Amino acid sequence: MAAVYSGISLKLKSKTTSWEDKLKLAHFAWISHQCVLPNKEQVLLDWARQSLVAFYKKKLELKEDIVERLWIYIDNILHSRKLQDLLKNGKTINLQISLIKILNERAAEFSLSGSQRNIGAVLSCCQGILSTPALAVIYTARQELVVDLLSQLCWSACRQPEAAMIPQLFEVIHLTLGHYLSIQQQQVNPRRAFGEVTGHLLQPCLVLRHLLLGGTWTQAGQGQLRPALGRDVRNQIEAMLRGGVFQPELLSSYKEELLEQQQSDTKMGAMKNLLTPMGTVTAGLVDPGYCEPALHAAVVASSVALLYKLFIDALPRLFGCLRVSQLQEKQIKVLSASDWTTELLVLEQLLNSVASNNIYNIAADKIRHGEAQFHFYRHLAELLINHSQAPVPAWFRCLRVLMSLNHLILEPDLDDLLASAWVDAEVMECRTKKAQEVLVHTLFQTYARLRQAPRLFQELLGVMCRPAAEALRQPMLAVGPCTALRECLLELPPSQVLDTWDLVLERFQALVLPHLRGDADMAWKSLSLSSLLHCVMVHARVLDSSAPLPVVRRLQRTMEGMLQDLVKPLLDLLQEPQCSAPELWCQKVSDSALLLAHTWAQVDTVLGLSCSHYHAAAEPSSLPSLLPGVESQCWKKVEEFTVQFKSLGRYCFEQLHLQKMKKTLMQMSFQSAEALHALRQDAAYILDSGRASLTLGTAASWDGQVGTVSALTYPVAHWHLVVSNLPILISYLCPDDVRYVASILLRTLPVSKAQEDLAEEEADLTLGKISQAVLHSPLFPEMQSLHSAFFLCLAARCSSVLRSSAQENPTLLRQQLPWLFEEDHVVVAPWEDRFSKVVSEGAELRGEIAHNLLSLVRGDLCIQLEGEQLERLLGLLEVVSSLQLDSLSPPDHMHCFLLLLSTAVTTLGSSCPSSLALRFLVTCYQLLGYLQRGKSAQSALRTMYVSDVFEVTLTSLFRGSRRLLVDMDDPSWLEFLQVIGTFLEHLLQMLIQRKLSPGLNFGKIIAFLSRDDLCTEATSGKQGESQNPLGQQLLLVSLTRLCQVLGPLVREQRQHDEALEALPELLQQAVLQTGAVLQLCVAGRAQGRRLPSTIIASVSALLEADVAQRSTCSGAEVPRVTDGMLLPNSALYQTVYSQILSELPALAGDTLSLQAAVQFLTLFSLAPELHPKKESVFTSVFHSVRKVLADPTIPVQVVEDIEPHLGALFTQMLDVGTTEDFRLALQHILQGLDVSNTWKADQQVVLSAVTLIKLLLSCTLSGEKAGLFWRACPQMITALTLQTREACQEQPAALVVVGPVLDVLAGLLRQGEGAIGNPHHVSLAFGILLTVPLDHLKPPEYGRIFPRVHNVLFSVLQCHPKVMLKAIPSFLNCFNRLVFSVIHEGRQKDKGGPDDLPVVLECARLVQRMYSHVAARAEEFRVFSPFMVAQYVTEVQKVTLYPSVKGLLQEGIYLVLDLCLERDIQFLRVSLQPGVRDVFKELYGDYVKYHKAKHEGEKRYTV
């Protein structure tokens, strides 16, 4: 057969054979083993190559499909496994240059014309060649072929960005770049590499990089590109530019070109003809012909930053590539906003690179280069300042970097900078404001550190005093600039602060004050200067008594001069007749005058208190005035004027009155009648001043700065002033004013969640945020009058909603529910006065209130809440929940209780969704519960009996539950049941604690719950449509809580021989009634549905009460039921027991259900008569619990939460279980610890076994069971050793297993003292500890594992001293791991702060504690003490510890040094390495100086 196919070569070359047959023959020859040709692979590849070469050279005519099939044939060969195997075996396959040239030509054709003929196969062929090293040699041997291919491929991607084969094209580009980079790294001729990159690759690669950065191919679509591939290509392009354009050999030429000077001693060698590399690069970059004009500017902008990053000295030339540089030379007249943004962002990157790489050295630039860089930066600064771009954040950031480089760059234009970037800048956007604030902060910080702040203020004042339209300027001293100014002033010495102060005063008096009359612009300037002077005076560091006397005297003169020469003239100006009309200039003058007056008064008071050498202005009378030397008649005129405007002046006038109040309170006679009258007047004025504004309200926000107070922000500023000084004002406000403050507080609170979220998002102060702060302030309850008034306002608002929903005669409603009509918020209402006397008048009024509320429940008094009203009430109730209800006075408490109870029992309309109704009820009963835990809780029960509250509440809920359309397992319904149960339980507990006729009340409650009509209403029949499962659950919850409270009460009374005759009988009735309802609930459950937590908890409570009742009747002290006793609900308990056992793993999804189930099983174990006869309760429960613990779907947190309950269950199980049951349980535990479970990746089975051991350790074992357990202990420790070893071999280590294993091991070692006989099993613990990883753990993991390792080691030390004595080296190895890990984690890291330091400190304390225990065993460890010290100092020498960690470790090692003898110290000094020896020397010196000296001093005074 081989001979048959040997003529294939001739047929392929034959002209008579059709091309269809040739291709079939060629394909068959390649894949067939029957075709034997000498060098077959090379022959077939050459045939296909020659055919294509002939076709493209026009020597052969082929159809298009034949050409395509030839390309596919070559591609198949190049990618075939057969070819790869041949090359791997050493066979040589030669690709001819002609094929490579054809491939490059096709790539060029695709890039130029976009022709996609055969391009997919061509790219695939390129990929096959470049990805096979043996074939790629043809490219690497001919460097120009790689360059040509790479250039064409990059242009193809740039010119056809939407082509279908983009992913394939980028794969080829990635391969080609990789090969070119390897060639470039081996290139010995840097000139050639530079020429290739700048001549062929620079432009296409920069365009391609720009498109990649812009995310051209990352959007979903046909040509989507993998992000990782795009990132790799971009990195390769940058590496290629770095290696080709910016080679080390070219740096001298770059510097010559950039600095424009020749270096005579430079030896260029082969490079001396390459004199302008930077010019070549920039020429290629700015050439407009290589891409579209719309794209060109963006490519240049993005490329400039890259090129500068690659060669950071090239800033001036690269800056010339940006269009912004052409503005100075008038080549471009204007740029659009988007162009400015792009160019400034690039410029920012360049300047940041200068700053971060420390390129600009001021001294070097001046000495070596004649300030070449400085002049360039000056040129740049002039350009930026002359072409202000305040709306662009990058403009501010560029100026900030220039300022940080050298303040002299901007100082010649400092006035223009302050004008364009701050004083006259129109900045509206938040990001731009932030950038402006940072620039201003840098300015102040720079000049403060240079101690040239007066120079800066001089320029600032010059700008502020220029002629300008002041009304159009934005407030200059908003929160950001004001913060920067404050920080600057705090750094300045007092002399410079006074220089600045005098400078402002001088300019004010010379340039503004003489021209104020009638000039609105000058009045605006006076306000700006006043704001600046206010900032300087208020935020400067206050002088104290240690200040130099000349400085204090100068300050005294300045204050006196300011009062006499500025403040008083401004106030006098307001007394002139022309100021009576409300003109703008008059308003601004009054704002300026009152701001300065308030500032002067504040500073004068503070200086008088802090500096003994400063003499505050003398007051003419015993009471302080608003301002010394200003008559009251003047203030009356000022007040008459300011009342016309909601402006800064009015706010400052309020501040003056507040300052006067503070000065009055500081006097000894502040309690005199005259002083009290003045205080009340001032407080009333402050409140009345903004009353009208607050009544109208505002949605504006205020940044908290005095200079930004305006008519819009005045209400916020006024409210902030009132609220922040309430502790001072509240004592001097009349009751009406207190009510007014409370009403404003309530009205401005955000009552909905949306309003609250909106208030939190707002950075500045708003009315809502201020009121919220008051509500949550701890001082609010301390202001009793305001707190009470606010509550009563809130109650009135709730009552109005309820009254508006009433459908009855208002007169009848007022008679029945008078607390809904109370309007007087201060005087005790008549009905409250009546109820306060209820104790003396008997039970008549209590019964009246209960009857009225029952009428409301039953619909006799109809108040029906619809959806909108319910929402309003919910918002008000949320405000109530924010109050500290515990601090309510008894009358308010009583009012609140009745109001909340009335609200809770109202009828909910049909428009109320069930979810909203449940949320409303939960809120009401939560608040009622909070009230019942308050200190005045008993005051509510003076109006109603507990049994009446119980009846009203449950009657309302039974009726309302029929309207609720929720499932019984709905989380909101279960939450509601929990809240109701808690409320009822608190009521019953209070009945017992306060001894409020418990027998009578419990009897009425049980009689109420046992009524036939109630049971019918709650359950509504046994089946059919009228069934009410929600009512059943409510009845069940109430009965359950009754049993839970009555059972312990009866048992306690019985133990003290004080049992009331009625209580056991009442308990029996409650048990019977609960059992009946439970039977109904359990029977009504659908098949296959799990028992809810409410039913399980109720069965548990019933069982507990049943057991308590039986034990009480039998006189037994221990609540255990014997076999001879019968429980009335045995069938129910056994049914629930069986159901819980089968459902326990499913119940684990709900923590409450699981806890209730475990509690039931614990109680069930106490009743042997209930136990099944055919099976062991111990075994059944054990297997169910094991299934729960072995379930991987149950979270670890759930298991940890349930462990205490499981411990109680196991304690009871061990009492009822036999020895054989316990033996079987131990066998199952050991099977779970088998290492094969880890090999099978059954980690949860191992964890369940470990948890079961932990549960057994929490129980008290005795007798045969204890013997069985400790005989199995060696097997457990061995298994735990293997489990730890397997878990720690995983990467990362399975800490979820390691942690519990260490806990169990520590427990076994502690409790096994004396029980573990073989020392070998104790020694296994050292092997476990050496296996546990302590490195490369996250801080939370480290904080969990380290203490557990320490506990195991400490257990060995304390409980097994004999074993430890024989294995001290192993013990020290484990302990040293702990020490070294603390040293490693406690080191000062290069990045990040000490956020994890608390965890490390806790671990260091454990190490210190262990050191103390080691030192306490001096005889055993004395020999090892020098080695412990040596290991410690060797490790400490490697790192720098945080001082707190170092201090703890040193305190521990000092105790070990106490064990060292003198010869040990000498040994350490000689044997340690030089660096470690220095650390030891320092350590020993501190030991002698601090620890040893203190120790010997204590010995001296010891008897």
Side-chain angles (χ1 to χ4, degrees), residues 1040-1083:
T1040 300
R1041 298 304 172 124
L1042 184 62
C1043 290
Q1044 286 176 335
V1045 173
L1046 259 181
L1049 176 62
V1050 171
R1051 187 165 59 246
E1052 182 183 353
Q1053 296 284 358
R1054 180 69 180 179
Q1055 288 172 355
H1056 293 87
D1057 296 325
E1058 299 174 358
L1060 299 174
E1061 289 298 328
L1063 289 183
E1065 185 180 345
L1066 292 174
L1067 175 60
Q1068 185 177 5
Q1069 292 179 25
V1071 167
L1072 291 173
Q1073 179 72 7
T1074 308
V1077 177
L1078 266 173
Q1079 295 280 7
L1080 190 64
C1081 292
V1082 173

Side-chain angles (χ1 to χ4, degrees), residues 243-454:
V245 178
F246 301 108
Q247 300 174 64
E249 294 87 350
L250 301 178
L251 294 184
S252 55
S253 272
Y254 275 109
K255 288 182 178 178
E256 280 186 0
E257 180 185 4
L258 292 170
L259 299 174
E260 299 177 356
Q261 62 181 22
Q262 295 292 334
Q263 298 180 3
S264 58
D265 57 344
T266 302
K267 296 182 179 180
M268 294 293 296
M271 297 298 303
K272 58 186 176 182
N273 294 326
L274 187 63
L275 298 178
T276 58
M278 197 67 237
T280 305
V281 173
T282 53
L285 182 61
V286 300
D287 179 15
Y290 63 88
C291 63
E292 298 176 3
L295 185 63
H296 183 261
V299 172
V300 171
S302 65
S303 303
V304 162
L306 168 67
L307 295 174
Y308 179 63
K309 184 177 73 173
L310 298 176
F311 184 62
I312 50 184
D313 288 335
L315 176 61
R317 292 296 294 273
L318 290 174
F319 175 68
C321 299
L322 297 174
R323 288 178 297 167
V324 69
S325 66
Q326 301 170 20
L327 290 170
Q328 197 84 349
E329 301 163 3
K330 309 295 185 181
Q331 297 179 15
I332 296 179
K333 292 184 178 180
V334 68
L335 288 176
S336 65
S338 60
D339 289 340
W340 266 113
T341 302
T342 304
E343 302 273 318
L344 286 171
L345 284 172
V346 174
L347 185 57
E348 181 193 357
Q349 291 184 43
L350 297 178
L351 291 172
N352 281 330
S353 298
V354 172
S356 59
N357 292 286
N358 199 21
I359 295 167
Y360 176 47
N361 184 293
I362 298 174
D365 180 53
K366 186 172 184 178
I367 296 169
R368 297 177 186 172
H369 310 304
E371 294 189 323
Q373 287 193 65
F374 175 77
H375 291 309
F376 166 72
Y377 294 132
R378 274 289 305 131
H379 166 76
L380 180 58
E382 290 174 1
L383 176 66
L384 290 174
I385 293 172
N386 292 337
H387 297 82
S388 173
Q389 293 297 317
V392 183
W395 182 74
F396 291 100
R397 294 196 291 267
C398 290
L399 291 170
R400 183 194 64 79
V401 178
L402 288 173
M403 173 60 67
S404 63
L405 287 175
N406 186 354
H407 75 285
L408 294 174
I409 294 171
L410 293 171
E411 188 161 280
D413 302 313
L414 187 56
D415 54 345
D416 293 332
L417 171 65
L418 290 168
S420 57
W422 183 14
V423 179
D424 295 329
E426 294 183 7
V427 178
M428 307 301 295
E429 191 184 0
C430 183
R431 285 189 313 116
T432 312
K433 281 185 179 180
K434 187 66 179 174
Q436 182 194 39
E437 290 168 9
V438 173
L439 172 61
V440 173
H441 183 271
T442 305
L443 273 169
F444 279 116
Q445 188 180 53
T446 302
Y447 278 88
R449 289 177 180 173
L450 293 170
R451 292 293 186 260
Q452 295 183 20

Side-chain angles (χ1 to χ4, degrees), residues 1263-1293:
E1264 293 183 13
K1265 293 173 185 174
L1268 278 175
F1269 182 82
W1270 292 114
R1271 282 197 296 274
C1273 183
Q1275 292 174 265
M1276 293 180 190
I1277 294 178
T1278 305
L1280 292 174
T1281 304
L1282 296 174
Q1283 289 292 346
T1284 308
R1285 189 176 301 160
E1286 291 294 329
C1288 294
Q1289 283 177 355
E1290 297 181 18
Q1291 294 297 330

Side-chain angles (χ1 to χ4, degrees), residues 1343-1356:
R1344 288 193 295 268
I1345 292 297
F1346 188 98
R1348 288 166 162 165
V1349 174
H1350 172 271
N1351 287 344
V1352 175
L1353 202 58
F1354 184 69
S1355 300
V1356 176

Side-chain angles (χ1 to χ4, degrees), residues 8 11 115 127 256 318 365 386 405 420 496 503 587 664 697 826 830 832 881 1135 1170 1220 1352:
I8 283 182
K11 290 183 180 180
S115 172
Q127 187 177 10
E256 280 186 0
L318 290 174
D365 180 53
N386 292 337
L405 287 175
S420 57
Q496 289 209 354
L503 196 60
Q587 179 190 345
T664 304
V826 176
E832 288 177 336
S881 65
T1135 303
L1170 299 176
E1220 186 59 30
V1352 175

Side-chain angles (χ1 to χ4, degrees), residues 412-705:
D413 302 313
L414 187 56
D415 54 345
D416 293 332
L417 171 65
L418 290 168
S420 57
W422 183 14
V423 179
D424 295 329
E426 294 183 7
V427 178
M428 307 301 295
E429 191 184 0
C430 183
R431 285 189 313 116
T432 312
K433 281 185 179 180
K434 187 66 179 174
Q436 182 194 39
E437 290 168 9
V438 173
L439 172 61
V440 173
H441 183 271
T442 305
L443 273 169
F444 279 116
Q445 188 180 53
T446 302
Y447 278 88
R449 289 177 180 173
L450 293 170
R451 292 293 186 260
Q452 295 183 20
R455 162 99 170 90
L456 177 63
F457 278 99
Q458 186 176 3
E459 296 291 344
L460 178 61
L461 289 167
V463 172
M464 292 174 68
C465 294
R466 287 178 184 173
E470 292 286 336
L472 300 179
R473 282 178 171 172
Q474 291 183 345
M476 192 182 77
L477 288 170
V479 63
C482 196
T483 303
L485 178 55
R486 180 175 66 245
E487 293 179 7
C488 165
L489 291 167
L490 290 174
E491 292 182 15
L492 292 180
S495 58
Q496 289 209 354
V497 173
L498 287 172
D499 290 342
T500 304
W501 194 337
D502 289 339
L503 196 60
V504 180
L505 287 175
E506 179 190 342
R507 292 293 178 93
F508 202 132
Q509 294 168 10
L511 301 178
V512 176
L513 188 59
H515 311 289
L516 275 177
R517 191 175 287 101
D519 192 333
D521 275 346
M522 277 298 173
W524 275 102
K525 288 188 191 303
S526 73
L527 183 56
S528 299
L529 289 173
S530 300
S531 299
L532 179 61
L533 188 54
H534 166 81
C535 274
V536 172
M537 293 174 66
V538 170
H539 297 310
R541 187 182 289 109
V542 179
L543 298 182
D544 55 19
S545 300
S546 62
L549 196 58
V551 174
V552 177
R553 287 174 178 169
R554 182 184 174 190
L555 176 62
Q556 185 93 46
R557 289 194 301 272
T558 304
M559 286 288 290
E560 292 171 358
M562 176 181 171
L563 179 62
Q564 298 299 329
D565 301 334
L566 184 59
V567 178
K568 287 185 177 179
L570 285 172
L571 290 172
D572 292 340
L573 195 59
L574 295 176
Q575 309 300 314
E576 297 182 0
Q578 57 265 40
C579 273
S580 58
E583 295 184 18
L584 180 61
W585 75 271
C586 297
Q587 179 190 345
K588 296 307 166 187
V589 169
S590 71
D591 290 348
S592 176
L594 289 169
L595 174 58
L596 291 178
H598 147 60
T599 305
W600 190 94
Q602 181 179 347
V603 173
D604 181 67
T605 304
V606 172
L607 287 171
L609 292 172
S610 64
C611 184
S612 58
H613 303 303
Y614 179 85
H615 303 293
E619 296 288 351
S621 64
S622 59
L623 291 178
S625 61
L626 291 174
L627 202 66
V630 180
E631 297 178 357
S632 59
Q633 193 65 29
C634 173
W635 290 122
K636 286 182 180 179
K637 290 186 178 180
V638 171
E639 183 179 346
E640 290 173 3
F641 183 77
T642 55
V643 79
Q644 303 175 57
F645 308 102
K646 294 185 294 184
S647 64
L648 174 61
R650 190 191 291 193
Y651 174 78
C652 292
F653 206 29
E654 294 168 15
Q655 287 277 14
L656 273 171
H657 280 274
L658 180 65
Q659 192 65 36
K660 181 188 169 192
M661 286 186 71
K662 292 178 181 177
K663 288 192 288 186
T664 304
L665 289 170
M666 286 189 290
Q667 291 186 344
M668 296 295 292
S669 60
F670 75 95
Q671 290 185 334
S672 65
E674 186 182 4
L676 288 174
H677 178 69
L679 287 168
R680 291 189 183 109
Q681 276 190 325
D682 289 328
Y685 174 79
I686 293 170
L687 204 60
D688 291 339
S689 178
R691 191 183 292 263
S693 301
L694 276 182
T695 304
L696 294 174
T698 180
S701 61
W702 180 51
D703 63 0
Q705 301 303 314

Side-chain angles (χ1 to χ4, degrees), residues 732-775:
Y732 304 102
L733 293 176
C734 66
D736 287 339
D737 286 342
V738 173
R739 288 198 295 273
Y740 162 72
V741 172
S743 65
I744 294 297
L745 181 59
L746 178 59
R747 185 166 60 81
T748 53
L749 274 174
V751 293
S752 68
K753 186 66 178 172
Q755 288 177 328
E756 224 173 292
D757 294 340
L758 193 64
E760 288 177 3
E761 290 174 6
E762 179 63 55
D764 294 336
L765 295 171
T766 60
L767 293 177
K769 284 183 76 172
I770 296 169
S771 299
Q772 260 191 321
V774 177
L775 190 65

